[in-house]
Amino acid sequence: MDEPKGGRRAALLLAVVTPVVAELTLGNPPLSQIWLLLLWIPIYGAGTVLIRELVRRRRGGWPSILLLGLAYGIVEEGLVLQALSSPTMYGAADWAPRFLGLNTAYTELNLPYHAVFSVALPILLTDLAVPSLRERPYLKRTGLVVAAVVFVLGGLLLRVTVATSIDPGYQAPPTVLVGCVAAVVLLAVVALRVPAGVRTQAPVPMPWAAGALGLVAGFGYLALLFPFGGADQPAFTHGGWVAVPMVAAALLAVVAGRLVRRWAASTAWTDRHGICLAGGALTGHTAFGVPANAATLADKLELSALGLLMVILLALLARRRRPLSVGRP
């Protein structure tokens, strides 16, 4: 397979955009410690590039990307950081009752988070920025192998730096590790076999409505599941009441996902819809990060400024895009 002109630059753009979207625009790390992104670029960037390359080679669509995004989340959180099962990391074991050795609320929060913010949105934004290559792989087979190797090395880097410093001495039980590996394999097999879907003539809302949905879903999902403002459990609940925000978050994700899938399958869905959807989700995501992750007033102001810059850049991108479809449903 020939490498398209500009493919390497597009892959590099995706590799850099991914940790910026997933970590920096949430306030983790703060801008004063932006150098910490160097630890995340190998696993985040190479992982998302690898996912996009595999899906484009199989002519898959967004369901394949999201399923592989879930698999990515299991690799990072379950195998590398091992935060899905750790009884101490981030205090996540106290958020909600554990089940099968897993931190339930943390798992519900982070696996869909990675699928959307660590994989789908960076791919969408890069496709919008480089529309001529949106349906094609960026790299030749050699580039695909390099991305896979960097992804593995990036995982090892996080394991020996972040994981050992935050949660020294913890090793997930073998049953959890085996379960994570099995889940990753299953998700990968299914993802690469899911058909891309077909176009429909269904009506779609105005772009601003897609943005509003992204804003509500992005902010709401995080606010329902991530304890903030001094809370010990999600949504300031206590004891068994934590089930309420967990169920509400699941319903919000299902409703938003079904709406986006139906709209994006329509021939009336355009680049501007995609930009507004991404912009709304990222705005809600950063708006939540300001009270939840920014520790000082300076951090809050810097994150707010970053969010404003992000909106301006997306608005400029929207002005340049003519009304084209954003890709396969």
Side-chain angles (χ1 to χ4, degrees):
M1 179 179 294
D2 293 333
E3 186 175 289
K5 183 178 180 181
R8 292 185 184 181
R9 290 193 296 272
L12 180 60
L13 175 64
L14 176 56
V16 174
V17 164
T18 298
V20 170
V21 168
E23 297 288 339
L24 195 64
T25 59
L26 188 60
N28 182 28
L31 286 176
S32 59
Q33 300 177 19
I34 193 173
W35 60 270
L36 288 173
L37 285 186
L38 295 175
L39 297 175
W40 298 99
I41 286 177
I43 186 171
Y44 271 108
T48 303
V49 168
L50 180 63
I51 287 171
R52 188 191 182 279
E53 292 298 293
L54 291 173
V55 172
R56 289 293 179 263
R57 279 170 165 77
R58 299 286 297 184
R59 301 189 63 80
W62 290 107
S64 297
I65 289 172
L66 289 169
L67 287 172
L68 288 175
L70 288 175
Y72 170 88
I74 295 172
V75 170
E76 182 180 319
E77 301 289 349
L79 298 175
V80 175
L81 297 177
Q82 299 185 4
L84 296 185
S85 58
S86 172
T88 56
M89 186 177 284
Y90 309 132
D94 298 326
W95 294 7
R98 286 160 58 90
F99 180 69
L100 297 178
L102 299 179
N103 301 320
T104 54
Y106 184 89
T107 300
E108 182 184 355
L109 169 65
N110 279 277
L111 297 191
Y113 179 87
H114 282 300
V116 174
F117 288 96
S118 301
V119 176
L121 283 181
I123 290 174
L124 173 60
L125 291 172
T126 307
D127 282 351
L128 290 166
V130 192
S132 62
L133 300 180
R134 69 178 56 180
E135 298 294 333
R136 301 183 61 186
Y138 291 148
L139 304 171
K140 294 189 293 186
R141 183 172 299 177
T142 301
L144 181 66
V145 172
V146 170
V149 171
V150 173
F151 173 63
V152 172
L153 293 177
L156 293 174
L157 176 65
L158 281 194
R159 183 66 194 154
V160 301
T161 55
V162 176
T164 55
S165 63
I166 295 178
D167 199 14
Y170 176 71
Q171 177 64 50
T175 52
V176 171
L177 296 177
V178 171
C180 287
V181 171
V184 169
V185 171
L186 178 62
L187 285 168
V189 170
V190 173
L192 297 178
R193 293 177 179 270
V194 172
V198 296
R199 287 304 202 184
T200 71
Q201 300 296 321
V204 299
M206 296 294 290
W208 67 263
L213 176 66
L215 175 66
V216 170
F219 184 92
Y221 194 81
L222 293 171
L224 284 168
L225 291 174
F226 186 83
F228 67 100
D232 296 320
Q233 292 189 178
F236 301 92
T237 55
H238 298 281
W241 286 103
V242 71
V244 175
M246 290 178 70
V247 171
L251 291 175
L252 176 61
V254 169
V255 171
R258 289 178 65 89
L259 285 174
V260 171
R261 174 147 176 78
R262 185 173 68 193
W263 294 342
S266 173
T267 55
W269 182 263
T270 67
D271 279 3
R272 289 180 180 172
H273 286 93
I275 292 170
C276 287
L277 176 66
L282 288 171
T283 300
H285 163 267
T286 300
F288 177 76
V290 172
N293 284 334
T296 67
L297 177 60
D299 290 341
K300 294 181 189 297
L301 292 175
E302 289 173 354
L303 184 56
S304 299
L306 178 63
L308 179 60
L309 175 62
M310 175 183 64
V311 171
I312 292 172
L313 292 175
L314 288 172
L316 292 174
L317 181 62
R319 291 186 62 182
R320 295 179 57 188
R321 292 275 74 81
R322 53 199 176 100
L324 293 173
S325 162
V326 300
R328 294 186 181 89

